[in-house]
C-alpha cells in the first residue's frame, strides 16, 4: 500500500533528514518549507526512489497553508503521515529585554503555524478514518530554562496541543504523538542567534549532540510500528544531557 507523508520544515535539519529516511522506507513525500531552491534540490535527490511533491509556504500564512494543502494533486491529496516539524527559536534573552518580533515569530510559527497545517490536514485524515500525526516538541516543552521563556512557552503549547489532539482525534482512529528532542545540531542555533554562526557552533562544543539523522531514525521507527501501537510521547537526549541545563562537557 502506498504511504504519503507531509513534512513541514523539510529544507533543513530534522525535517530534511526525516524526508531522506522516509524515502528509504518507500514513503512518498510532500516536503514543505519557505526555501524553494532547497526543496527542489531535495526533490531531485529523492525522486529517484519515491514520488516527491514540494510545497513552498510560510506556516504563518493561514490562507497560503490552506490553499496549498487543498490544491494538492493526486496522489498527494491522501496524506497518511503529518510531521509537524517546522519551527525555530528566535533569540535567547531574558523576558525583560526580549524582542516582540522574536516572540511573535515563535508563537506564530511554532504554535499557530502548527495549528494551521494541522487544521488543513485533519479533515482529510478523519475522512480516511486513519492517519498519524507527529508533533515535534522539545525538552523546552517539558521544562523551562533561563532566557528560554517564550520559546519554552511555544513548545509547552505544542505539548498541550499534542495531548489535546490525542483526545479529540481518538474517536477517529488517528494516531497522535510527540517527540521531544534535547540538543540537536542543525541550523537551529544559527537561526536562534540570527546568523552568528560562531556563537551557534559553541552551543555544541565539548559534547556529542544529537544529529538530525538520530531524530529522523526515531521518527522512522515511530511511523513504522503496527497501526495499533502509538508512541505517544518521547523525550530524546544526547547521552551527555540530563536536562535543559545539565550537559556534561569536556571543556
Ligand atoms: P532547522 O533550523 O535546521 O530547521 C527548521 C525548519 O523549519 C526549516 O526547514 C525551516 O524551513 C522551517 N521553518 C522555520 N520557520 C518556518 C516558517 N515560518 N514557515 C515554514 N517553515 C519554517 O532546525 P531543526 O531541524 O533543529 O528544527 C526542527 C524542529 O525541531 C523545530 O520545531 C525545533 O523547535 C525542534 N527542535 C529542535 C531542537 C534542536 O536542538 N535543534 C531540539 C528540540 C526541538 P525554511 O526556513 O525553508 O522555511
Ligand atoms: C531545542 C533545544 O534546549 O535549545 O528545542 O531548547 S533547546
Amino acid at each position: 500500500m502506498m504511504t504519503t507523508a507531509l513534512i513541514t520544515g523539510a529544507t533543513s535539519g530534522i525535517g530534511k533528514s526525516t524526508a531522506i529516511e522516509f524515502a528509504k522506507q518507500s514513503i512518498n513525500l510532500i516536503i514543505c518549507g519557505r526555501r524553494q531552491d532547497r526543496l527542489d534540490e531535495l526533490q531531485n535527490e529523492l525522486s529517484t526512489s519515491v514520488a516527491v511533491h514540494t510545497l513552498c509556504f510560510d506556516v504563518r500564512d493561514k490562507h497560503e497553508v490552506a490553499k496549498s494543502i487543498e490544491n494538492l494533486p493526486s496522489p498527494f491529496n491522501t496524506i497518511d503521515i503529518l510531521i509537524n516539524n517546522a519551527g525555530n527559536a528566535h533569540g535567547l534573552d531574558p523576558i525583560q529585554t526580549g524582542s516582540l518580533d522574536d516572540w511573535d515569530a515563535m508563537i506564530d510559527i511554532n504554535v499557530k503555524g502548527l495549528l494551521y497545517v494541522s487544521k488543513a490536514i485533519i479533515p482529510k485524515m478523519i475522512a480516511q478514518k486513519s492517519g498519524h500525526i507527529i508533533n515535534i516538541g522539545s525538552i523546552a516543552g517539558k521544562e523551562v530554562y533561563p532566557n528560554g521563556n517564550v520559546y519554552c512557552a511555544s513548545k509547552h503549547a505544542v505539548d498541550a496541543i499534542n495531548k489535546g489532539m490525542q483526545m479529540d482525534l481518538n474517536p477517529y482512529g488517528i494516531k497522535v504523538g510527540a517527540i521531544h528532542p534535547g540538543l540537536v545540531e542543525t541550523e537551529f542555533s544559527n537561526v536562534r542567534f540570527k546568523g552568528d554562526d560562531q556563537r551557534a557552533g559553541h552551543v555544541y562544543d565539548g559534547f556529542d549532540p544529537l544529529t538530525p539523522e538520530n531524530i529522523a531514525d526515531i521518527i522512522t521507527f515511530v511511523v513504522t510500528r503496527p497501526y495499533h501501537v502509538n508512541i505517544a510521547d518521547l523525550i530524546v537526549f544526547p547521552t551527555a544531557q540530563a536536562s535543559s541545563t545539565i550537559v556534561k562537557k569536556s571543556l
Side-chain angles (χ1 to χ4, degrees):
M1 203 191 74
M2 197 172 77
T3 302
T4 300
L6 184 145
I7 304 173
T8 65
T11 56
S12 167
I14 294 169
K16 181 178 178 185
S17 293
T18 302
I20 293 168
E21 279 307 311
F22 278 12
K24 291 180 196 161
Q25 301 292 324
S26 304
I27 297 174
N28 292 327
L29 295 165
I30 303 158
I31 50 174
C32 312
R34 290 166 300 178
R35 288 169 285 184
Q36 185 68 55
D37 54 333
R38 289 196 182 197
L39 292 173
D40 291 343
E41 208 176 296
L42 190 59
Q43 182 183 37
N44 284 339
E45 184 185 329
L46 301 182
S47 53
T48 50
S49 47
V50 290
V52 184
H53 188 79
T54 68
L55 286 183
C56 188
F57 57 70
D58 187 323
V59 293
R60 285 174 286 199
D61 185 338
K62 61 181 164 214
H63 301 295
E64 197 60 33
V65 169
K67 197 175 76 186
S68 305
I69 293 171
E70 199 177 305
N71 292 329
L72 277 167
S74 176
F76 296 101
N77 49 2
T78 300
I79 298 168
D80 306 288
I81 300 168
L82 164 60
I83 309 294
N84 268 326
N85 165 74
N88 277 113
H90 294 266
L92 182 68
D93 301 293
I95 198 79
Q96 61 276 19
T97 57
S99 140
L100 288 178
D101 288 342
D102 285 346
W103 296 355
D104 281 342
M106 290 185 279
I107 291 168
D108 290 348
I109 298 167
N110 303 356
V111 184
K112 291 165 69 182
L114 180 148
L115 287 170
Y116 297 156
V117 173
S118 303
K119 176 85 175 161
I121 293 175
I122 286 170
K124 292 176 184 286
M125 290 183 168
I126 288 178
Q128 289 159 210
K129 298 189 172 60
S130 70
H132 192 171
I133 300 173
I134 296 183
N135 296 306
I136 303 300
S138 169
I139 188 57
K142 298 289 189 182
E143 49 182 84
V144 179
Y145 54 86
N147 303 330
N149 43 66
V150 177
Y151 178 66
C152 294
S154 76
K155 288 297 181 176
H156 275 68
V158 172
D159 193 35
I161 291 165
N162 180 63
K163 289 180 182 131
M165 280 185 183
Q166 270 166 1
M167 293 171 187
D168 297 345
L169 299 179
N170 172 274
Y172 304 100
I174 296 170
K175 290 210 244 192
V176 181
I179 297 175
H180 303 278
L183 290 154
V184 192
E185 188 164 10
T186 61
E187 293 178 13
F188 177 86
S189 292
N190 309 77
V191 174
R192 167 168 257 175
F193 299 127
K194 304 175 195 308
D196 183 342
D197 295 342
Q198 214 176 2
R199 188 175 175 199
H202 285 320
V203 173
Y204 311 104
D205 280 350
F207 73 106
D208 282 335
L210 294 166
T211 65
E213 292 80 12
N214 296 147
I215 301 300
D217 180 41
I218 290 163
I219 295 172
T220 304
F221 176 82
V222 170
V223 302
T224 52
R225 293 314 85 205
Y227 200 75
H228 69 285
V229 178
N230 184 30
I231 297 175
D233 205 46
L234 189 63
I235 293 176
V236 188
F237 279 143
T239 302
Q241 186 171 15
S243 75
S244 285
T245 51
I246 302 175
V247 182
K248 182 177 183 294
K249 294 200 176 198
S250 63
L251 298 173

